[in-house]
Amino acid sequence: MTGLLVLAGAVRPAGAQTQPAPTLSDAPASPHAVYESPAFTRAVRAGTRTRTGHPGPNYWQQYARYDIEARLDPATHRLVGHERVTYLNRSPDTLRRVAVHLRQNLYRADVARQESVPVTGGVSLQRVAADGTPLLRAAPDSAAGYTVDGTVAWLRLPRPLVPGDSVVLSFDWSHEVPPAPADGKEGRDEGVYFMGYWYPQVAVYDDVHGWVAEPYTGQAEFYMGQADYNVRLTVPAHWLVGATGQLQNPEAVLSERSQRRLQRARRTGAVVPIVEEGERGTRVATQASGPTATWHFRAQSVRDFAWGTSDRYLWNATRALVPPPANRFPGDGTVREAPSNPDSGVATDTVMVHNFYRPTEAAAAWPRGAQFTRNAVEVLSRSLQQPYPYSSMTAMEGVLRGGGMEYPMVTIMQPWATPAKLAGDLMHEVGHMWVPMEVGTNEKRHVWMDEGLTQFNTAQGMRTTHGPEPRPSGRASDSERGQRRTYLRVARRGDEVPLTRHGDRIPPSVYFDLPYDKGAQVLKALRGLLGEASFRRAYRAFIDRWWGKHPQPYDFFNTVADVTDRDLSWFWHAWFHTTWTLDQAIASVTSTGDSTAIVVVNRGRLPMPARVVVTRSDGTTERRRVPVDVWLNGAQRRTITVPRSPAVVRVEIDPDEHFPDVDRSNQTWQP
C-alpha cells in the first residue's frame, strides 16, 4: 500500500526515520500502522487539513440556498415541486459540471438497489435550467445539458463556475410518495406522509475528494452540505405539518387558540396539548381560506430539509432550556460544567419541542414523546458541552416499521408502545443533531463516525436520565451493556467486517450491529484506555474543531493524538481496520516462597493493556498493569509477581468492564 503512515496521529511518509513526528518522538513503521489515503495527503499539502486534527488554514466548504415550493395531493399521493438553488463555489476549483442527487429514483424499476422497495417511477423532471438557460437531457459529452445515472444527475453548465462565483439551478419536478415502509426513511402510511430526501439536492464537493456523488442504494445513508432553506408546503386544509426550521406564517395556518397554546408551552415549559382529540382536522386547531393551506418554513445553515403532514395527528409542545453558544467549551476540549436549569445564573436559550402522533394502541408511549424529546435535548447539551444547535426539535410518529430516522430538527420513528424504548430511540435520534447534522461526517463511507458516536452519546444520555441498570456493580449503563452484548454476539459468530468498510458493502445482517454498537464500544474502550478526563478533552475538542465542517476519520484520530499526546496507531489499526477480537485471560496463579506469580495471556489477536486487580484475604486490593507494548512486541503471556502475604483470594482482569472481551469467564481467578 502506498501513502503516508499515521504515527501517534501525526502523519509522515512511511519508512522515513529521520523526520520526527510533530508532537511525539518518532517511531518505526510497524504492522500496526494506519495509512492515510492519498486524497487526504493532497488535502494536507493544500492546507485544508492538518495532521494535528485541526482544519487547515485553507479549509473551505461549499454553500447553497434553496427556495422550494411543493404541493401534496393525497388523492394521487403525488408531490409536485418547483425549486431554485443558488450554489456558491467557495472552492479554489473551476467547476464545469454539478452533481445533483435524485434519491427518489431509488423507486424506479431500472435502478440498482440493495433491498426490495415499491416501484413508483422515481423523479419526473419537467424542467432543468442553469442561470435561466434550459438544460436538455443529453449525452454525457454535450456542451450543456444533463444526464441521469440512477439516483444522480450530472449537469453540464453553460459556463464554467469559477471560484467565488455562483450559479442558480432551477428544477420543476414531481414524484409519487412511496408507500411505507419504503426504504425505512420516508413514505406514506395510514394518513401520514413523511418526506425525506424528496427534492433535487446538490451533492457535496469537498476539499478531499471533490464531487462525492455516490448512488443511493437504500442502505448506507448520506453526505450533505450546509445550506439555507426557504420552503413553502401546500397541503389540504386543516392538515398539520412538522418540518425542519421555523414556521414563518403561524397566523395563516393555525387558529388563535393553537397559537396561544404554543406561546404557553414556550413561556411555562409545561407539556401543552396544541391539538387534542376531537380537534384534529378542524378549524378549532388550524385555519385556511380554501381547500388547501400553505405552510412556510425557513432554516439556516442546515444540511437537509424534511417534513411530515397528516390530518390524524395530535400535537403536544413544550420547551427545552440549553446554554447559548457563547457558553460552549473552548477549542482545546477543556471541560466546563454547563448549567442544568434556568436558575443557575447562566443565560439559557429556548428550544421549542414538538411531538406529533396518532392516538393508537401501537403508539401508546407517544403522549410522553415531548417530555422525552425535551430531556434528550437538555441532557445531551450538558453531556456534550455543546448546546443543541437549533431553535426547535420535532418528533413525529408513523411511516417506519422499526426504529427512527434523523433529519435536521426532525425525526420520524415507529409507533412505540413502550416508554423506555421510545425514550431511548428519541435520545439516539436527537443525538444525531450533533453528528452528523453539525459535525458533518460522510455517513455513507464512514458509518461508524455517524452511528458509533451517536450510539455512544445515547448510552451516556440514557445513563444520565434514567440511571444505570440496577445491580450491585453499577459498572456500565444498561445501554452500554446491550451494545456490548450485540457486538460480542456478532464477533463470536465470526460475522464481523472492519469498521472502515464502506456502508453499502456492510452485510445488511450486521449493518446495525457493527457501526452502531461496536463503534460505541470502541469509544468506550478508548475512554477506558485514556481515562475519563483525557478522553472528554479529546472527544469534545473533535466536536468543537469540526462543528459545521466535514471531518474524515483521520481528523478524529489526529485530534485524539494531538490532545492526549499519545501514540494510538495500534488502537486505530486493531479496532477499525481489522476484525481481531480481545480475549485476555488469567492462565494461572501460583505461590512459591514469599511471592505469588500471576500469568496473564492474550488469547485473541487484538492488543490492549491488561488491567489486573488483586484482592487479598484482608480485603485490600492492588492494581497491576500489563502494558500494551508487551503484546505489540509479540509476546502472548506475561507474569506479574506480587507478595504472597496476605493471601491472594481473587484476581480479575478489567473489573471495571472498560474493554469488550469476548470471554469474561476466563478473566477471574479464585482459589
Side-chain angles (χ1 to χ4, degrees), residues 433-490:
M433 301 306 118
W434 284 261
V435 186
M437 300 308 163
E438 289 298 326
V439 180
T441 60
N442 185 334
E443 301 176 81
K444 197 172 192 67
R445 293 187 181 181
H446 314 297
V447 186
W448 69 267
M449 290 191 77
D450 162 43
E451 298 295 354
L453 269 65
T454 298
Q455 195 78 327
F456 175 81
N457 297 339
T458 298
Q460 313 320 304
M462 291 299 288
R463 183 185 182 96
T464 300
T465 304
H466 303 284
E469 181 183 11
R471 63 186 184 286
S473 66
R475 293 172 180 166
S477 73
D478 192 19
S479 295
E480 287 174 340
R481 290 172 67 86
Q483 292 164 4
R484 187 176 68 197
R485 283 194 298 267
T486 299
Y487 156 57
L488 292 179
R489 183 175 65 247
V490 175

Side-chain angles (χ1 to χ4, degrees), residues 93-345:
D93 307 323
T94 296
L95 306 179
R96 290 173 171 78
R97 61 178 189 161
V98 173
V100 176
H101 289 291
L102 304 175
R103 296 189 179 97
Q104 286 293 320
N105 275 354
L106 178 73
Y107 306 105
R108 239 173 53 182
D110 60 343
V111 168
R113 49 186 164 262
Q114 292 182 266
E115 56 187 41
S116 176
V117 298
V119 174
T120 66
V123 179
S124 174
L125 293 173
Q126 284 82 41
R127 179 176 181 271
V128 180
D131 285 334
T133 300
L135 299 182
L136 302 179
R137 192 159 182 169
D141 58 353
S142 172
Y146 73 94
T147 59
V148 177
D149 182 9
T151 61
V152 179
W154 286 96
L155 280 56
R156 295 185 64 86
L157 303 177
R159 62 177 180 84
L161 180 58
V162 299
D165 201 357
S166 63
V167 62
V168 177
L169 307 175
S170 300
F171 303 90
D172 290 337
W173 49 269
S174 64
H175 65 80
E176 180 185 332
V177 180
D183 63 343
K185 301 173 179 66
E186 59 186 344
R188 68 178 197 264
D189 175 47
E190 297 182 6
V192 172
Y193 290 78
F194 191 85
M195 264 54 77
Y197 318 119
W198 54 283
Y199 60 96
Q201 184 184 44
V202 179
V204 172
Y205 185 86
D206 70 21
D207 64 302
V208 177
H209 298 289
W211 284 114
V212 184
E214 297 172 281
Y216 176 43
T217 61
Q219 177 166 285
E221 292 173 9
F222 310 107
Y223 185 34
M224 299 170 169
Q226 300 293 103
D228 298 336
Y229 287 84
N230 181 33
V231 181
R232 289 175 170 84
L233 305 168
T234 300
V235 299
H238 309 303
W239 284 42
L240 296 178
V241 177
T244 300
Q246 287 291 101
L247 180 63
Q248 301 297 298
N249 62 336
E251 71 288 342
V253 294
L254 297 178
S255 67
E256 291 185 4
R257 180 177 178 180
S258 293
Q259 293 178 66
R260 287 195 302 271
R261 290 178 176 181
L262 281 171
Q263 292 167 0
R264 180 157 62 92
R266 183 180 185 88
R267 184 179 65 255
T268 67
V271 176
V272 177
I274 309 302
V275 176
E276 299 181 85
E277 187 71 68
E279 300 175 350
R280 295 181 292 168
T282 70
R283 293 183 181 275
V284 173
T286 57
Q287 58 178 313
S289 58
T292 63
T294 298
W295 296 59
H296 180 198
F297 293 88
R298 285 184 182 270
Q300 291 185 311
S301 192
V302 295
R303 64 174 231 157
D304 194 13
F305 187 100
W307 60 287
T309 184
S310 179
D311 62 347
R312 304 185 187 183
Y313 273 147
L314 302 183
W315 178 7
N316 292 341
T318 185
R319 73 176 185 199
L321 297 175
V322 302
N327 289 326
R328 59 186 225 195
F329 58 87
D332 61 359
T334 303
V335 176
R336 180 164 61 215
E337 290 303 316
S340 59
N341 61 71
D343 300 322
S344 62

